[in-house]
Amino acid sequence: MKRVWGSVCVVLCLVLVTAACGTSGSAGEAIVIKAGIGLNEDHPQGQALNRFKEIVEEKSGGRIQVRPYFSAQLGDDLKMTEALQAGVQEVTIPSTSPLVGIVPEFGIFDLPFVFDEEEEADAVLDGALGQKILDKLPEHGLVGLTYWENGYRNLTNSRRPVKRAEDFRGLKIRTMQTDVHLDAFKALGSNPTPMPFSEVFTALESGTVDGQENPLATIVSNKFYEVQDYLSLTKHVYTPFVFLVSKSFWDRLSPEDQQLIREAAIEAGKYERELNRKVNAESLEELKKQGIKINEVSPEERERMKQIIQPVIEKYRKKLGEDLVSQLFEEVEKARNR
Ligand code: TF8
């Protein structure tokens, strides 16, 4: 009898301990997602992060809570990604560019002048190639759910309007931390300086660099027009955002909750792309009002810039893999002819 009671006690204790520790999926206990981004809440990405929060909290009946952090409060893109790997933050949505140190294949999206239309980028990112690269994330402690849009990048600087390829010469330009951009800006004769986004405003203000390049929505949201005189519509590269989740967190979720979060990321992403395109179009008016001098770049000059950068594309065709780069151009071609 004693022995039976002993076993019952052991079993009871085990039940109690398990209940107390719980897993993040156990009933009654809210799952909390700390989600940080580098941009401000008023940027389309910030608004879409709020949308993600709404969807997740509504669909889970409040069982899953999202705590958004904006303006690099939790650190820059790379730092937050590392926090995901370490399991101390659950979600971040960085540009793919600063992640090339983790997954070099993301470098294909840094190749300039690849996508003529946003819809081509959508097709490639949401298609086989986009997925192929997301599949490389889990071995690095990350899960990539979908791509959002940062968008076409345009150059601002404090020295002169950039209309022709030669106008890049001698400009000190802050770039993202990715080799492809370093090489491309060097090929154009400028002096690229890589640095995290959170340091850009100060670097422009103090004159450490003459210029930077980002989509119009960011130039407005981060008030770069206050410290820059010229905006040149170079549209030289399209940058995606990638929706990342910490793998150690992800693995603790039930398949149902994984599905819920994945669908919310995709739905909020559709909203983000739409809003971003609308805001980018409106930003031009806003920037004119702010008094920054804006110039177009003619298709002929863009073509010349593309030619100058061609050797960089060839270099990275080898470095990133012939197959991968060929697949990129094939998928773009397919999207173009649709
Ligand atoms: C850059 C990027 C950034 C974004 C954002 C901070 O210039 O375009 O704006 O990655 O997450 O660093």
Side-chain angles (χ1 to χ4, degrees):
M1 197 58 187
K2 236 189 204 166
R3 222 193 259 156
V4 173
W5 275 117
S7 323
V8 169
C9 270
V10 168
V11 170
L12 264 179
C13 285
L14 274 177
V15 167
L16 284 175
V17 168
T18 318
C21 292
T23 57
S24 37
S26 64
E29 210 184 306
I31 298 170
V32 177
I33 297 177
K34 243 197 294 168
I37 59 168
L39 294 168
N40 302 328
E41 187 169 3
D42 68 0
H43 186 280
Q45 193 195 32
Q47 296 187 48
L49 178 53
N50 283 334
R51 173 65 64 94
F52 170 76
K53 172 184 162 75
E54 274 166 32
I55 300 169
V56 167
E57 294 182 355
E58 194 200 308
K59 286 207 173 146
S60 70
R63 202 171 39 77
I64 310 177
Q65 299 274 319
V66 180
R67 307 240 190 286
Y69 294 84
F70 307 98
S71 316
Q73 264 175 285
L74 300 182
D76 58 59
D77 283 350
L78 199 52
K79 205 158 160 222
M80 288 191 282
T81 304
E82 285 162 2
L84 260 56
Q85 292 177 304
V88 295
Q89 182 181 329
E90 287 72 37
V91 163
T92 188
I93 318 165
S95 290
T96 49
S97 313
L99 305 186
V100 294
I102 302 171
V103 174
E105 289 84 354
F106 272 131
I108 62 168
F109 300 127
D110 293 327
L111 298 172
F113 302 113
V114 169
F115 300 113
D116 285 342
E117 305 288 341
E118 282 136 348
E119 289 69 24
E120 296 166 10
D122 293 349
V124 172
L125 293 165
D126 299 343
L129 184 56
Q131 188 56 48
K132 191 177 188 173
I133 303 185
L134 293 184
D135 289 345
K136 302 200 179 287
L137 287 161
E139 64 191 90
H140 301 284
L142 301 163
V143 175
L145 297 186
T146 185
Y147 295 93
W148 287 15
E149 171 171 286
N150 191 346
Y152 285 115
R153 308 178 77 84
N154 293 291
L155 183 78
T156 65
N157 83 95
S158 56
R159 304 256 308 263
R160 55 177 171 261
V162 172
K163 293 184 178 155
R164 315 190 57 224
E166 288 72 19
D167 297 329
F168 275 97
R169 287 193 190 149
L171 289 180
K172 272 187 279 169
I173 300 171
R174 174 273 174 175
T175 65
M176 292 188 285
Q177 300 123 297
T178 175
D179 285 352
V180 180
H181 286 189
L182 279 179
D183 283 346
F185 282 100
K186 271 187 207 152
L188 287 163
S190 61
N191 301 324
T193 309
M195 70 177 74
F197 182 76
S198 45
E199 294 168 22
V200 177
F201 189 94
T202 312
L204 294 171
E205 193 176 34
S206 67
T208 309
V209 293
D210 300 316
Q212 67 82 43
E213 38 88 57
N214 253 298
L216 299 181
T218 297
I219 297 170
V220 170
S221 174
N222 279 82
K223 297 189 164 51
F224 289 158
Y225 54 79
E226 286 183 354
V227 286
Q228 296 277 267
D229 300 318
Y230 303 99
L231 164 62
S232 305
L233 302 173
T234 47
K235 229 183 137 185
H236 52 275
V237 71
Y238 175 100
T239 306
F241 285 132
V242 57
F243 195 108
L244 297 179
V245 183
S246 161
K247 185 168 184 298
S248 57
F249 167 72
W250 186 254
D251 290 345
R252 291 197 305 271
L253 295 170
S254 68
E256 294 75 28
D257 285 349
Q258 288 181 347
Q259 182 70 4
L260 189 156
I261 291 169
R262 183 186 296 278
E263 283 171 8
I266 293 171
E267 193 183 328
K270 285 203 183 108
Y271 167 74
E272 195 264 356
R273 280 180 182 167
E274 240 170 70
L275 182 64
N276 198 49
R277 286 163 202 182
K278 189 167 150 266
V279 169
N280 268 308
E282 292 164 358
S283 295
L284 207 52
E285 282 312 306
E286 174 63 20
L287 286 161
K288 270 183 205 156
K289 254 190 250 154
Q290 294 297 340
I292 191 167
K293 294 180 199 72
I294 306 173
N295 72 273
E296 298 274 349
V297 176
S298 70
E300 297 74 37
E301 274 307 314
R302 271 184 98 240
E303 195 49 42
R304 280 188 65 229
M305 292 171 191
K306 199 170 167 178
Q307 289 310 319
I308 294 171
I309 287 170
Q310 200 52 38
V312 178
I313 305 236
E314 291 317 316
K315 173 176 170 185
Y316 283 93
R317 185 183 279 282
K318 295 208 182 68
K319 264 189 122 168
L320 298 169
E322 293 278 353
D323 289 355
L324 201 69
V325 177
S326 303
Q327 188 179 353
L328 171 68
F329 287 113
E330 275 159 32
E331 290 197 10
V332 171
E333 207 44 47
K334 234 189 278 162
R336 216 163 263 171
N337 297 326
R338 255 213 303 237

